[in-house]
Amino acid sequence: MTAPTDALAAAVDAEDAAIFTYGVSTAYVSTARRSMVAEYVAAHRVRRNELVAALTAAGATAPQAAAGYILPVDVDDSVTAVQALLAAEVDCTVAYRALIEQSEDATARRTGLDGLTESSVRAANWRVALRESPVTVPFPGRAG
């Protein structure tokens, strides 16, 4: 693989992990947030499928989703569920920022920018739910 296809594959992995995290968290989020969770996981599936198509078009093989993922917190209530969802979105922003940085192709860079933007907005919404301040971060996707 090349750096751009590695970045696409990493974004697929981040999306698969986010989809898994949303699946686990659905059981714990409040009823009021379930429609938001459904909307967000659907967006992750669309984005993941777009990334897989881009990898296939580049002649690379997309990574398979793992059977399970280690969550950053033990999810056992609505607060820890939202914390896990926030972490998944932040992980996606890191993957998309790397995709933007490592791609020379305009379409891949646009995919990275769109993914970064969408994940940043979802992360901000989860920070609002957790009553964190600030709800946005400068330079989303910057590791560390």
Side-chain angles (χ1 to χ4, degrees):
M1 287 187 143
T2 63
T5 56
D6 286 348
L8 281 167
V12 170
D13 282 334
E15 288 292 358
D16 281 333
I19 291 165
F20 178 84
T21 303
Y22 274 87
V24 170
S25 298
T26 299
Y28 294 96
V29 295
S30 67
T31 304
R33 295 200 197 286
R34 290 226 171 104
S35 63
M36 189 163 111
V37 167
E39 174 188 339
Y40 288 1
V41 75
H44 280 289
R45 285 188 181 109
V46 167
R47 186 64 60 192
R48 187 253 339 258
N49 293 345
E50 182 179 300
L51 293 164
V52 168
L55 270 171
T56 302
T61 302
Q64 293 294 312
Y69 294 86
I70 297 172
L71 301 181
V73 296
D74 290 332
V75 176
D76 55 12
D77 61 22
S78 63
V79 172
T80 55
V82 173
Q83 289 171 340
L85 294 171
L86 172 58
E89 295 298 349
V90 170
D91 289 348
C92 285
T93 65
V94 171
Y96 284 118
R97 183 180 173 114
L99 178 57
I100 294 166
E101 292 171 347
Q102 295 173 22
S103 296
E104 295 178 14
D105 176 68
T107 302
R109 290 175 67 88
R110 170 51 67 183
T111 298
L113 180 60
D114 291 345
L116 177 66
T117 301
E118 292 169 7
S119 289
S120 296
V121 169
R122 288 189 295 262
N125 288 331
W126 291 129
R127 286 186 190 98
V128 168
L130 291 167
R131 296 187 175 138
E132 289 186 6
S133 181
V135 297
T136 60
V137 297
F139 309 110
R142 185 180 346 182

